[in-house]
Amino acid sequence: MQFPVILAIESSCDDTSAAVMAGGEILANVVATQQVHEQYGGVVPELASRAHQQHLIPVVQEALRRAKVDKSALDAVAFTQGPGLLGSLLVGSMFAKTFAQALDKPLIAVNHMRAHILAHFIRAPRPAFPFLCLTVSGGHTQLVIVRGPMDMQVIGQTIDDAAGEAFDKTAKLLGLPYPGGPHLDKQARLGNPTRFPFPVGAMPGYDFSFSGLKTSVLYFLRQQTTQNPDFVQENLPDLCASIQHTIIQTLLRQLIRAAQDNGLTQIALAGGVAANSGLREALTQLAAEKGWEVFIPDFEFCTDNAGMVAMTAHFQYEAGDFAAPLVSPDPRLKLT
Ligand code: KG4
Ligand code: ZN
């Protein structure tokens, strides 16, 4: 077995996950997604914490079983310190701290946003430093210059909703199930992206804003459905394609400027929204036009997963970056 062998726990939102990594190679990555939130149309924090409590031990056992690793062979235990939901983070951090102490192994506290970016190093092709990473998930939207595994600079972020939230909230207005991103993506493939022009959130610098789009879709649908109650049903693919197009334009506008201003041509995409087919297509086209090299991890490592936490912990282990036994979770942990 290659050294070091790390068990990693991810519990920042509504996915309970455990992974085992040896010498930087992923041996197991188990994710239990919580179905309980679907009926509420969004994540209910208290229910998320309770579901983590139920799922965590079986998920850890399954990860160790799949990796064929006994807990005595572990060199460190890693966990997501933040950002995320406090109750969810507490469950994962308490487990990791207790487990590490019982085994007398070092503890590694991982920043969730750093982990989304370092997911690119789990499998080839891996970007070369420095690169520009656009992290787009249900909770976050960030543009980061990545100079090394521990050397990252956030140059832009959303001032209101995250890109994934923009997908999920507009999808909800269209009556699509939660989480709406993948449903909206599917419908968008059949529609005309320029049929309904919605406003592109234009922010100074490299920041993002999506709340204007949500409000504009809300008012537009209200107005149209008073005239024709079947408006959404009759125009669903075009509505989805137009909304998706607007979100993609909002993201790419800042990405292009950030890449140009900073002379970066290695472009990485991270987070759950990286699964969006329109965004992938637009980036592939841009890469051809601008001579960029684009990197997108396998879907398994784009959405929340402990594999990316293990990868980050591997780098931290090499750097000797260990946590104190009583380290606390931090729901607002910044990426610096
Ligand atoms: O990274 P992630 O699993 O969780 C967070 O850290 O938030 O991202 C989940 C987000 C959700 O908002 C979901 O709707 C969105 O990613 N998503 C998509 C697609 N697949 C997942 N959004 C648009 N198109 C997709 N195909
Ligand atoms: Zn995430």
Side-chain angles (χ1 to χ4, degrees):
M1 183 89 47
Q2 282 177 291
F3 175 81
V5 183
I6 297 174
L7 169 73
I9 311 290
E10 156 63 33
S11 72
S12 64
C13 189
D14 61 338
D15 292 301
T16 316
S17 180
V20 180
M21 179 169 266
E25 197 186 316
I26 196 89
L27 301 184
N29 180 44
V30 178
V31 184
T33 301
Q34 303 176 359
Q35 310 295 344
V36 62
H37 308 287
E38 266 169 41
Q39 57 189 302
Y40 300 100
V43 177
V44 182
E46 182 51 34
L47 296 180
S49 324
R50 282 189 227 167
H52 282 306
Q53 285 175 327
Q54 286 165 357
H55 294 166
L56 192 50
I57 290 174
V59 163
V60 168
Q61 279 172 333
E62 180 61 11
L64 290 169
R65 192 190 66 78
R66 282 193 206 168
K68 299 189 176 63
V69 165
D70 186 82
K71 57 185 185 304
S72 61
L74 295 173
D75 295 304
V77 179
F79 70 99
T80 300
Q81 186 185 11
L85 300 170
L86 178 60
S88 293
L89 291 167
L90 269 169
V91 177
S93 69
M94 278 312 295
F95 176 87
K97 286 193 278 190
T98 315
F99 203 55
Q101 202 153 36
L103 297 171
D104 197 20
K105 304 290 180 190
L107 190 64
I108 301 176
V110 170
N111 181 306
H112 181 81
M113 301 312 292
R114 186 187 307 281
H116 268 302
I117 296 172
L118 294 179
H120 285 94
F121 293 86
I122 296 174
R123 291 204 181 125
R126 299 172 175 91
F129 300 113
F131 64 89
L132 182 64
C133 186
L134 175 64
T135 310
V136 272
S137 74
H140 303 276
T141 302
Q142 283 188 337
L143 261 175
V144 184
I145 298 179
V146 188
R147 299 194 179 89
M150 297 300 137
D151 185 359
M152 300 185 179
Q153 182 189 0
V154 180
I155 56 167
Q157 54 200 326
T158 183
I159 59 153
D160 40 53
D161 289 344
E165 261 180 302
F167 273 106
D168 296 343
K169 288 180 178 174
T170 50
K172 196 171 174 180
L173 295 174
L174 298 173
L176 296 171
Y178 175 85
H183 298 281
L184 197 144
D185 184 0
K186 202 167 157 199
Q187 288 292 329
R189 279 175 225 172
L190 313 167
N192 173 2
T194 54
R195 165 102 186 273
F196 303 111
F198 293 114
V200 172
M203 294 294 295
Y206 308 122
D207 284 343
F208 303 93
S209 169
F210 292 101
S211 61
L213 167 66
K214 189 182 57 190
T215 313
S216 143
V217 171
L218 175 71
Y219 287 151
F220 179 70
L221 293 181
R222 258 191 211 160
Q223 186 196 11
Q224 296 297 323
T225 48
T226 46
Q227 289 157 21
N228 171 14
D230 296 328
F231 178 78
V232 172
Q233 266 159 290
E234 288 170 7
N235 297 284
L236 190 59
D238 286 350
L239 282 165
C240 289
S242 301
I243 292 169
Q244 179 166 301
H245 177 72
T246 310
I247 296 173
I248 294 171
Q249 292 314 305
T250 306
L251 292 171
L252 295 185
R253 183 178 176 275
Q254 305 300 65
L255 178 69
I256 293 169
R257 283 199 309 144
Q260 276 167 355
D261 293 353
N262 294 283
L264 296 166
T265 54
Q266 299 255 311
I267 309 295
L269 192 61
V273 180
N276 185 263
S277 61
L279 183 56
R280 283 168 173 258
E281 220 168 274
L283 259 184
T284 310
Q285 206 176 322
L286 265 176
E289 274 169 33
K290 303 208 174 279
W292 288 353
E293 210 178 335
V294 171
F295 299 86
I296 308 175
D298 292 344
F299 184 61
E300 175 187 4
F301 300 116
C302 277
T303 54
D304 286 350
N305 68 91
M308 67 187 194
V309 178
M311 189 72 247
T312 309
H314 175 87
F315 287 116
Q316 289 183 230
Y317 191 101
E318 285 186 329
D321 180 6
F322 298 105
L326 290 176
V327 59
S328 301
D330 182 352
R332 296 186 204 288
L333 189 65
K334 294 266 184 296
L335 182 61
T336 47

